[in-house]
Amino acid sequence: MDIDVKQTMHAFAALGLENIHEYFGHGFAASFFSDHEAGRISDEAFLKEIKNLLNKEVSQGELIDAWNALLLRFPPERITLLKEIKSRYRIFLYSNTNAIHYKKFSEIYRNTFHGELEDLFEKAYFSHDLGHRKPDLGGYEHIIRENRLDPKLTLFVDDALMNVEGAIKAGLKGLYLPPGFFITDIRW
């Protein structure tokens, strides 16, 4: 999925939270953002923490809309590639996300492709359900163990270098996608 963290930053700034960058950004998250992505706090507790940072009253809907502003679209060419790759390889999804984003991006996927995102993968792992977020070793180890993967023969691909480094520490092969480089640019 294409995301643009700046959209969420701007949306929160419009609500009066000018310093959101001190708490959240692509490739890192601090305090309650990390706890929310790892499923350690509820959506309600997460939204309450954000609300506490604001100097004015806003609705829960406004907070959710601002939080979801970073979710853009699923490029069709990437979905086509994943369907094609699935016919040749075992593929899994491991995503740092949270229940609020999950609900929204699942809706976006369903409305665009008339199916479920999880159907593209042998199994999808979302950090808020797994209880681990990348680059914590526990998440990679759980996925390896549960699916009886040989780490030496398993490629982990991510657009955050720290997540690729975490996968390598877990024994996986790692491929970092720098800005402007996508899975569709790889010869599979």
Side-chain angles (χ1 to χ4, degrees):
M1 170 168 234
D2 284 339
I3 63 170
D4 184 354
V5 173
K6 290 179 188 164
Q7 295 298 319
T8 285
M9 304 258 186
H10 293 309
F12 278 124
L15 293 177
L17 183 55
E18 298 289 339
N19 62 341
I20 188 72
H21 63 278
E22 294 176 14
Y23 302 96
F24 174 76
H26 186 63
F28 76 93
S31 64
F32 62 92
F33 287 92
S34 295
D35 288 342
H36 190 226
E37 278 194 343
R40 291 188 290 266
I41 64 170
S42 68
D43 294 343
E44 293 75 22
F46 172 73
L47 293 170
K48 183 179 178 186
E49 289 288 341
I50 293 177
K51 202 170 194 174
N52 289 340
L53 296 174
L54 292 166
N55 293 326
K56 67 177 190 177
E57 190 63 31
V58 297
S59 72
Q60 183 169 316
E62 289 174 302
L63 291 175
I64 290 171
D65 288 347
W67 182 229
N68 284 337
L70 63 86
L71 303 172
L72 302 179
R73 68 182 193 98
F74 289 94
E77 64 276 9
R78 293 185 206 154
I79 302 306
T80 300
L81 176 64
L82 288 171
K83 288 177 181 177
E84 190 263 310
I85 290 173
K86 186 178 180 184
S87 70
R88 295 186 284 138
Y89 301 104
R90 296 178 72 193
I91 62 171
F92 300 86
L93 174 66
Y94 182 16
S95 178
N96 281 351
T97 194
N98 57 79
I100 295 170
H101 281 167
Y102 174 80
K103 182 178 177 182
K104 183 63 177 179
F105 69 67
S106 293
E107 174 187 310
I108 293 168
Y109 186 87
R110 231 178 271 115
N111 290 339
T112 307
F113 298 100
H114 310 291
E116 299 300 323
L117 176 65
E118 288 89 337
D119 293 342
L120 296 171
F121 307 94
E122 184 172 321
K123 185 157 185 184
Y125 293 89
F126 301 101
S127 59
H128 68 283
D129 289 329
L130 188 59
H132 295 279
R133 59 185 305 278
K134 300 175 287 184
D136 301 336
L137 287 179
Y140 304 105
E141 291 168 346
H142 175 90
I143 294 166
I144 291 166
R145 190 173 47 254
E146 183 173 284
N147 297 286
R148 298 185 174 138
L149 300 174
D150 181 346
K152 294 175 189 155
L153 300 176
T154 304
L155 178 65
F156 176 84
V157 181
D158 203 287
D159 63 352
L161 183 57
M162 65 192 291
N163 295 340
V164 173
E165 290 168 346
I168 292 169
K169 285 180 185 172
L172 298 163
K173 301 286 185 188
L175 177 62
Y176 168 59
L177 298 178
F181 194 76
F182 305 100
I183 62 167
T184 51
D185 297 322
I186 301 168
R187 292 188 71 184
W188 296 96

